[in-house]
Amino acid sequence: MSSPESSCYTVVSEDSSETPSTSDLRTALQKGTDEVKLDTLRKIIVSTINGNPQPTLLMPVIQYVMPSRNKALKKMLHFYWEVCPKYDDNGKLKQEMILVVNAIRNDLQHPNEYIRGSTLRFLQKISKEQELLEPLIPTCRSCLEHRHSYVRKNAVFAVYNIYREFEHLIPDAPELIETFLAAESDATCKRNAFVFLSNCAMPKAVQYILSVMDQIPSMDELLQMSIIEVIRLDCKGDTSHKPRYILLISELLNASSHAVKYEAATTLTSLTQNPAAVKAAAACYINLVSKESDNNAKIIVLDRLDALRSRHGHVLDSIIMDILQLVTSSDLDVRRKALSIVLSLTSSRNVEEVVLFLKKQLQKTQDQDFDKAPEYRQLLIQSIHVCAVKFSEIAATVVHALMDFLGDTNNPSALDVVAFVREVVEKFPQLRRTICEKLIQTLSEIKSGKVYRGVLWILGEYAESVPEIQDTFQQLRKVLGEIPILASEQRLLDDSNTEDGDKEKGEDVKTETTKPKVLADGTYATETAFTSVSNAKLEAVKAAAKPPLRTLLLGGDFFTGAVLCSSLTKLVLRHTELSSDKRKNNALRAEAMLIMASIIRVGQSKFVTVPIDEDSTDRIMNCIQTLSELENKPVVHEIFLKDTKAAYSKMIAAQEKKAAETKESEKSEQVAVQVDDLLTFRQFSKKAADDLVDDVADVTRATGANDVHEDFISNLSRISQLTGFSDPIYAEAYVKIHGFDILLDVLLVNQTPNTLQNLCLDFATLGDLKLVERPTVYTIAPHSFQSIKATIKVSSTETGVIFGSILWEGAGMAEQCVILNDIHIDIMDYIKPAYCTEAQFRSMWTEFEWENRVNVTTTMSEPRDYLQHVMKATNMSCLTPEGAISGDCDFLSANMYARSLFGEDALANLSIERTEAGNIVGHVRIRSKTQGIALSLGDRITMAQKDNKPPV
């Protein structure tokens, strides 16, 4: 055929129940009003796009629609000429199209500028139809001289598209457009003409830039953008104009348009590595972030600034305070991104200024009117934490300021402070005394059980002198209140009962309350509740104001109570080692044991909201036993006073090692070029400072042109058999996962001696899968093959199922069918191991609502082997440090995390124990934001347990 390949259009949904016949459509075109014709033409266009061209309607459209002067109808007619079949079966242009060309020529000479411009835009869409375009060239050229700019700007692009496809039709187009550009005054027309030159005659575009160099800073935004693009392309080659380009781009950094500023800064860093130019580009980025209102644009510019920092970090040190001003943005994501850049640039020279700024911002978050104060405060605390650990000289100046936030009502901020203090007190021994003194003073201000646990652990480990231990006990008495707790609470209740002594002894007065209630059948009833006065008094005693730690214990937080007892034990044992005064040692031991016994007793009484759990009871009893019987044993001192501190030191060392490995991996991301690799000119040049400027390379990466091809054996493992060998048609599919697409390459084999006509392979999907192509009809000869490709879009990480059937016409036009086997899509192709901090894991674990619990049933006997087995089966990474799961132990608990290509998070907690028989029992709990990923991962683990090897 002489016509080029047909264009690809979007399939438009149409209501098959209301599809009119060809005769109805012809009648509507012949006798209908303009509105009816418009609706009919729209139906014909949709039908043509969906594969039913209806060629017999071409002549009625020419007869009854083309003469109309209705502008909406003319516009719709252009759409029809674009999609309608223009060639006959022999590939020759249909005779009717001569009438169409004549009508288009008339529209190109129409006095109305809108019709002319719209027709010129239409010519751009049929630029591959040479036979249609050839008679229209003179008219199209004449439109370049039209008085109206709308016509001229569309005429330029019409000439551009024609010249790009068929250069011989307008051989003098570059000279024509160059003359047009020199004489043109309209900004949009000039920009379109310049785009033509940049794509079809680059030397002329460069010459134009040089001729108007002084006027470019005052030109229109669109033309400036096009000029920057040409400069980038020209500098990829060997050009002598580079110094002039750099001066021009530097001037455009001060342009009024944000888009021009951004492109100019990006281009400048690719043209030169000069520190002054890099600073100017960075200052331009900072200015854009501060003035741009769109938060998404701010984050994009900050990403650019971060990329610039990774290559020229030492140059940007001097403008770190300017970057810090971006932290005052209202959006939390922008603040977080800006702070990450600042922390990367922080050095010993500027760390004091940075921390001083962060401390001032931290004080501002105390204001009631401050936007998103709790989240921002937490972000600032984390940033100061990073600075203080990295630069020890400022740790002493910030640790006391941060400890003022231990009593913060925002629990995450206070927890971050505790984590910071714990790390500082371990790394900097010289600060331990002052930190412990400050912590002892702030015990009464703390409100959270988690914060109390952290502070109590720090005091138990690092209160190393006799005065500190005694001060800790004194302050703990204040936050616990009167000891024993049970006796004092009972006395309060008895005192309240004594006040009502005028009532008869033993009389249980009841108060009656009534309220309406809706029954199951929808009728109303009155519900009466009797409340005992004694119960009301007990509730009043519970609700009375109490010291903070006592309130937590009575509220049922016995985990904090167990940590308190453990810390008291450590303090008593250390006091025994430091002091030879037996009287004081015995007094402290007795007081600690009284507190421990008091916690157990009150936990078993009616004064607590929740009874004490067995684990906390056992832990507290162990502490009591240690102080009463085992105090003189050296191994006890070793366990309580050295082992726990050593374990924390080991954990800190593991975190530092992991951070160092991550930093090292970031440095080694650049791929070294081997000595025997084939070198290209671009690799010799030094212009690759900004890789993202190379649009050609971007397209190559985006289209996967450089992807590593799988080997033959790997391809065979992905073949699914769809039908049986005895079926009339044998079918098998090769399933390839490519990003968010599933590509199905189906092979059909006609196993019958008959020709199969109108054969259709129809697929359907289950889950978040969407079929892209509309099924096509095929005819397969006897014993021949047919290859069919289908593309399916994936929108979430969920196990999907593809099913379908093959339909064809048998003898006597009877429809025959073969049902295909299901194809199950494995979510492991979309899940990748990832890493997050413990705080992020806990936050997501609390937030995610979908949980799937899988019981462990395996023949394995080693808990760590089972952990590795589950990690391989689910593509999840283990967040629990290696030191925490090492050693010989019969139980194991580990957190795992993975992230999908769609940004979905998957969390898992493995809790298993080895029984005396050698079997592993326990469960795996999986949590995610969506139900599909939780269920799919659970099914994956269940399948993996059937065999000791993860499924392939």
Side-chain angles (χ1 to χ4, degrees), residues 249-356:
I249 296 294
S250 300
E251 288 186 45
L252 289 178
L253 291 177
N254 302 316
S256 58
S257 166
H258 288 183
V260 173
K261 279 185 176 181
Y262 175 78
E263 291 296 335
T266 304
T267 305
L268 186 61
T269 56
S270 69
L271 296 182
T272 177
Q273 309 272 332
N274 186 281
V278 172
K279 275 188 183 178
C284 181
Y285 285 144
I286 294 169
N287 186 32
L288 279 175
V289 176
S290 60
K291 292 185 177 179
E292 178 60 46
S293 58
D294 185 1
N295 290 326
N296 293 322
K298 287 184 178 183
I299 291 176
I300 290 171
V301 177
L302 283 172
D303 283 335
R304 264 303 177 186
L305 187 59
D306 194 25
L308 202 62
R309 187 267 320 157
S310 64
R311 292 190 301 275
H312 309 284
H314 60 286
V315 178
L316 303 184
D317 280 351
S318 58
I319 60 171
I320 188 171
M321 296 310 294
D322 295 331
I323 302 174
L324 262 178
Q325 298 303 320
L326 305 179
V327 174
T328 57
S329 170
S330 60
D331 185 70
L332 198 61
D333 290 329
V334 175
R335 290 172 177 167
R336 186 177 288 109
K337 187 67 181 176
L339 275 176
S340 71
I341 296 172
V342 168
L343 293 179
S344 303
L345 289 171
T346 305
S347 63
S348 55
R349 296 189 301 275
N350 54 34
V351 64
E352 292 185 1
E353 294 177 340
V354 171
V355 170
L356 182 63

Side-chain angles (χ1 to χ4, degrees), residues 141-146 148-149 151-157 173-194 196-197 208:
R141 291 178 64 132
S142 66
C143 288
L144 289 170
E145 300 171 3
H146 194 271
H148 203 284
S149 59
V151 176
R152 297 199 303 273
K153 73 177 183 181
N154 284 304
V156 171
F157 270 169
E175 292 76 15
L176 179 68
I177 298 298
E178 186 181 21
T179 308
F180 172 84
L181 179 59
E184 182 57 56
S185 59
D186 183 74
T188 309
C189 295
K190 290 171 75 173
R191 178 256 182 187
N192 289 5
F194 185 78
F196 175 98
L197 293 179
Y208 176 75

